[in-house]
Amino acid sequence: MPQQKYSVWSLFKHGLNHHKTWEPAWTRASLQSEYDVVIVGGGGHGLATAYYLAKNHKVGRIAVLEKGHLGSGNTCRNTTIVRSNYLWDEAALLYEHGMKLWEGLTEDLNFNVLFSQRGVFNLGHTLQDMRDIERRVAANHLQGIDAHVLNAAEVKERIPQLDVSRSRRLPVLGASWQPRAGIAHHDAVARGFARAASRLGVELIENCEVTGFDIEGGRVKGLQTSQGYVKTSRVGCVAAGHSSVLAAKAGVRLPLESHPLQAFVSESMQRVIDTVIMSNAVHGYLSQSDKGELVIGAGIDSYLGYGQRGSPHIIEHTAAAIIELFPQFSRVRMNRQWGGIVDVSPDACPIISKTPVEGLYFNCGWGTGGFKATPGSGHVFAHTIAHDDPHPLAAPFSLDRFASGHLIDEHGAAAVAH
Ligand code: FAD
Ligand code: PYC
């Protein structure tokens, strides 16, 4: 596509005509009767999958079917932390693959995803936390992933606002620190992938819910949707929060539990925090957005549910956790709260897999931590669909592991209380 150049005058003119002549970022397609590949779910992972399918694999016509609007699920509800400091080789390699793609994503998509490598601290509050941190950092070094163990004084030097006094209920003993980690802008990620995929010919169809699968002789033949029937022989499902509901329509049972996960933002204020701080033990984490809001997240709501709200006691508990770390924030007012639905697997790792139904693939179970994987997940899932064979980095994350017992337990590195 030729790059459009806007002069100050043309920006002024466009402003006055109420955006009427602005070129839409992506084409809103209408459902056709047949596609070579259909991606179900227009969140970041679904859009990234479609983008990499179109960019790297010649698979013919591709459509993304989204029941609401693009990015309206967890993609635009999350707190945008990106890091790759996982414990086990399989997971660390997968998330680090994503991290490398993040590092070139703005250029690749020609869309600023506001990726900011401001570092992430995972605090340790007990001797066992610190032993786990040392083990994880050592494992990260073996994979060439940047990671450091810091003691309390070193943490305080980098985050002066943090209360590290020993008199706290859960004193900070130290932290792991990944300097290349950080945050990105969730809306920009969804829009950037949508625009880039659309420009490669992917058809993006909103308000189109997949309601059933047409399966004959163990093979996918098509999909029933709220906008009619679609013929296709390959379907990639990326429907975080609703994956098990969708899989059940194809007769596939996924080992997932769906929980609400909540987040909050405060009123805007001057920059006081220039990094990301997470604490699994006190059940809270925070960063500061470019608008100056504190972006605060909680541990998961312990009950199962599909309400994108969450329960009030979690709000109180998380506020207490943040004040434990930063007593001065007790005076900050909260502006908004919301929830998303996360689908958690037994080992807190994703499922990127073929299924017993030929031509049907699932990418799900990212639980509380899939935003960071958006480009990496799309990249390896596109390969898996295109080759009908798992990408080498995705192979350990197949459904079979729940039968074979080859689990990859990342509950600790998930860093959000489960
Ligand atoms: P989604 O964006 O949820 O996309 C799935 C899409 O599928 C939805 O748009 C949905 O409408 C659609 N869909 C569902 N069923 C159907 C159907 N039948 N037909 C058509 N479409 C359908 N991860 C991190 O790495 N870092 C974080 O800081 C972080 N913070 C989080 C904070 C909160 C509050 C929450 C809720 C999650 C957080 N996560 C975080 C997790 C992260 O948001 C998710 O793992 C990730 O966004 C999943 O992306 P996705 O594209 O798979 O899902
Ligand atoms: O996986 O880093 C993470 C995360 C942070 C907040 C929610 N998930």
XYZ file of all heavy atoms in Angstrom, residues 79 81 83 86 278 285 368-369 372 414 416, ligand 2:
98
model
N -4.537 -6.038 31.120
C -3.667 -4.999 31.679
C -2.315 -4.924 30.951
O -1.383 -4.294 31.458
C -3.475 -5.234 33.188
O -3.200 -6.631 33.383
C -4.718 -4.863 33.976
N 0.438 -6.571 30.199
C 1.824 -6.887 30.591
C 2.413 -7.918 29.623
O 1.773 -8.919 29.295
C 1.878 -7.396 32.049
C 1.400 -6.279 32.985
C 3.286 -7.859 32.414
C 1.252 -6.683 34.435
N 5.903 -10.189 28.987
C 7.181 -10.668 29.551
C 7.388 -12.102 29.080
O 6.449 -12.693 28.501
C 7.176 -10.570 31.096
C 6.047 -11.353 31.697
C 5.858 -11.143 33.205
N 4.646 -11.860 33.593
C 4.627 -13.153 33.905
N 5.729 -13.847 33.953
N 3.488 -13.753 34.180
N 9.293 -17.258 32.021
C 8.613 -18.479 32.497
C 9.649 -19.511 32.934
O 10.825 -19.416 32.571
C 7.671 -19.008 31.415
C 6.360 -18.216 31.405
C 6.323 -16.897 30.969
C 5.182 -18.766 31.894
C 5.148 -16.160 30.991
C 4.001 -18.038 31.934
C 3.992 -16.738 31.480
O 2.828 -16.010 31.519
N 4.579 -6.553 40.003
C 3.594 -7.622 40.240
C 3.925 -8.313 41.556
O 5.095 -8.547 41.845
C 3.651 -8.674 39.121
C 3.466 -8.119 37.745
S 3.412 -9.434 36.508
C 1.843 -10.215 36.873
N -1.150 -6.184 41.190
C -0.035 -5.688 40.376
C -0.438 -4.353 39.793
O -1.631 -4.027 39.722
C 0.331 -6.693 39.272
C -0.788 -7.028 38.325
C -0.986 -6.270 37.162
C -1.647 -8.089 38.560
C -2.010 -6.573 36.283
C -2.674 -8.394 37.682
C -2.855 -7.630 36.552
O -3.866 -7.928 35.687
N -4.670 -16.280 32.524
C -4.473 -14.878 32.890
C -3.347 -14.227 32.094
O -3.046 -13.058 32.304
C -4.122 -14.773 34.387
O -2.916 -15.522 34.603
C -5.230 -15.344 35.271
N -2.701 -14.994 31.189
C -1.450 -14.457 30.635
C -1.275 -14.488 29.134
O -0.149 -14.551 28.648
N 0.491 -11.215 26.355
C 1.919 -11.170 26.033
C 2.271 -12.107 24.876
O 3.295 -11.943 24.228
C 2.751 -11.542 27.265
C 2.605 -12.999 27.674
C 3.501 -13.381 28.829
C 3.064 -12.890 30.167
N 1.737 -13.414 30.590
N 2.988 -17.797 36.237
C 1.787 -17.095 35.767
C 1.664 -15.762 36.512
O 1.100 -14.801 35.990
C 0.541 -17.938 35.974
N -0.044 -14.372 38.597
C -1.331 -13.804 39.002
C -1.959 -14.878 39.883
O -1.969 -16.045 39.496
C -2.226 -13.523 37.779
C -3.631 -13.137 38.201
C -1.606 -12.424 36.925
O 0.700 -12.829 32.730
O 2.023 -11.183 33.245
C 0.927 -11.715 33.206
C -0.215 -10.981 33.721
C -0.176 -9.804 34.318
C -1.442 -9.496 34.647
C -2.276 -10.462 34.223
N -1.482 -11.383 33.643
